[in-house]
Amino acid sequence: MIDGKKVLFSGMQATGNLTLGNYIGALKNWLELQDEYETFYSVVDLHSITVRQDPAELRSRARKLLTLYIAAGLDPEKNCIYYQSHVSGHAELGWILDCFTYMGELNRMTQFKDKSAKHADNINAGLYTYPVLMAADILLYQTDVVPVGKDQLQHLEITRDIAQRFNAIYGDVFTIPEPYIGKTGAKIMSLQDPEKKMSKSDENLNASIYLMDDKDTIIRKFKRAVTDSEARIAYNEEQKGIHNLIDIYCACTKKTPDEVVKEFEGKGYGDFKLAVGESVADLLNPLQERFYQMEKEKSYIDSIIKNNAEKANYYAQKTLRKVQKKVGFPEKIR
Ligand code: ATP
Ligand code: LTN
């Protein structure tokens, strides 16, 4: 608890351009939760280097992502928006928690298996211990809730296991966090392969809608979206492509799947795809305008970066000092 409010932590990697999946699965929920919780939203750049990055590009993407958090509607005066690399406590707690995590647990992580298959030439130890750093991110702030997409549930589970293990040895040190999954759009799928999640690192540019795509591009990508030959708009597990488009449309328009099915009864896929494209463009347009505006306000963004890093450090140090003492590190002489 901070000032009587429960704590919320979440983060995104500054790798690739954010997709509609990131927006619907994560950012959109963040916006809805910002008043209820004391929030920490991090640009998790330490996580990004588990995959080789171009330094200038990483720096620029990280700045863009942080700006995008604000452009999407997170008020930086209320929400602690900061770079993970500006708070050394993440890495320090990460190391300590490494010593409380079993290799057997990490071997089961599906994201590690997926990413090591994708980057077979660079299966580094950081990629392997990635979930432990993520646990440190969360536990550092005594977090109560973590809004994430479904793909991150396994990481939340290991975070809880590590925290419970630590608490069982040393007493109540960490708050045990709960995941928060939004009602619709927990998993937005690729437009080119509805069996795969929409991902910012997909090489097929038509598979994902990027948050900065213009209206024409968005509509073109939806027109090309892979569906099926049923020629009927229904919400079921067999018609995966249509299911995904309905999820997207619902997330953009706040309609329910039943309402959408009724709305498009007797209509063709072409009409439906166009409507989905338009609803997405309408949702993204204000965000894009705010982003281009904010990008110009350099000194304002700089002040946010500085102030919020200080705030995050304050809370991080509180937890870290407690943990260091518990595990037996000598006290600092001041
Ligand atoms: P990458 O492809 O580089 O692994 P990603 O697109 O999966 O990246 P992350 O940075 O791993 O994105 O995720 C940021 C947040 O967005 C997480 O909370 C994640 O659960 C959510 N998210 C990512 N993709 C989707 C998706 N397709 N549907 C719903 N939520 C998603
Ligand atoms: N692993 C997450 C990003 C992430 C995160 C976190 C999310 C890193 N640390 C802490 C929530 C809480 C991802 O790949 N989406």
Side-chain angles (χ1 to χ4, degrees), residues 12 21-22 25 115 148-149 151 186-188 197-201:
M12 269 194 222
N22 299 127
K115 297 237 160 154
V148 280
D151 60 303
K187 196 163 184 186
I188 300 298
K197 81 164 186 166
M198 185 182 285
S199 149
K200 50 181 146 66
S201 48

Side-chain angles (χ1 to χ4, degrees), residues 98-312:
D98 272 338
C99 304
F100 293 84
T101 307
Y102 299 115
M103 290 178 63
E105 289 177 299
L106 294 176
N107 288 337
R108 287 199 293 272
M109 296 292 118
T110 55
Q111 182 172 301
F112 172 67
K113 289 183 209 164
D114 293 348
K115 297 237 160 154
S116 35
K118 249 194 202 164
H119 305 279
D121 54 337
N122 181 21
I123 307 177
N124 60 72
L127 196 62
Y128 187 61
T129 58
Y130 179 115
V132 189
L133 181 59
M134 178 159 162
D137 299 341
I138 296 168
L139 301 177
L140 199 51
Y141 299 97
Q142 305 292 352
T143 301
D144 296 281
V145 287
V146 186
V148 280
K150 255 189 196 153
D151 60 303
Q152 293 298 313
L153 281 180
Q154 202 185 23
H155 288 163
L156 247 285
E157 222 23 71
I158 196 174
T159 300
R160 290 164 55 88
D161 290 344
I162 296 169
Q164 273 155 353
R165 183 171 306 138
F166 196 95
N167 283 356
I169 306 172
Y170 299 105
D172 272 344
V173 177
F174 294 123
T175 302
I176 308 297
E178 300 280 346
Y180 174 97
I181 303 278
K183 282 176 213 68
T184 47
K187 196 163 184 186
I188 300 298
M189 310 310 280
S190 153
L191 298 186
Q192 290 298 312
D193 177 0
E195 304 272 344
K196 254 175 46 183
K197 81 164 186 166
M198 185 182 285
S199 149
K200 50 181 146 66
S201 48
D202 201 313
E203 272 154 26
N204 183 346
L205 298 181
N206 286 322
S208 308
I209 301 290
Y210 299 103
L211 295 191
M212 290 297 146
D213 279 350
D214 61 29
K215 187 167 183 172
D216 289 349
T217 310
I218 294 174
I219 294 198
R220 180 172 48 76
K221 286 184 181 175
F222 277 107
K223 273 192 188 151
R224 290 192 187 165
V226 170
T227 47
D228 53 61
S229 51
E230 297 268 329
R232 140 187 105 91
I233 293 154
Y235 194 63
N236 58 53
E237 291 303 323
E238 281 74 55
Q239 292 175 266
K240 289 205 161 57
I242 291 293
H243 191 287
N244 188 39
L245 295 183
I246 294 179
D247 281 341
I248 294 174
Y249 192 61
C250 287
C252 295
T253 59
K254 300 204 171 104
K255 291 179 182 163
T256 64
D258 282 349
E259 287 167 351
V260 179
V261 170
K262 275 205 194 94
E263 185 181 341
F264 289 93
E265 215 175 294
K267 295 209 174 118
Y269 285 177
D271 289 344
F272 179 51
K273 285 175 166 179
L274 183 65
V276 180
E278 280 177 345
S279 73
V280 170
D282 289 347
L283 181 81
L284 296 185
N285 183 268
L287 178 149
Q288 294 173 349
E289 280 180 6
R290 271 199 305 272
F291 176 82
Y292 292 125
Q293 179 56 35
M294 304 266 12
E295 228 184 1
K296 290 186 221 143
E297 298 178 22
K298 284 206 167 57
S299 56
Y300 172 65
I301 300 284
D302 284 347
S303 72
I304 298 293
I305 292 174
K306 180 169 178 287
N307 295 340
N308 281 334
E310 278 168 15
K311 177 174 172 186

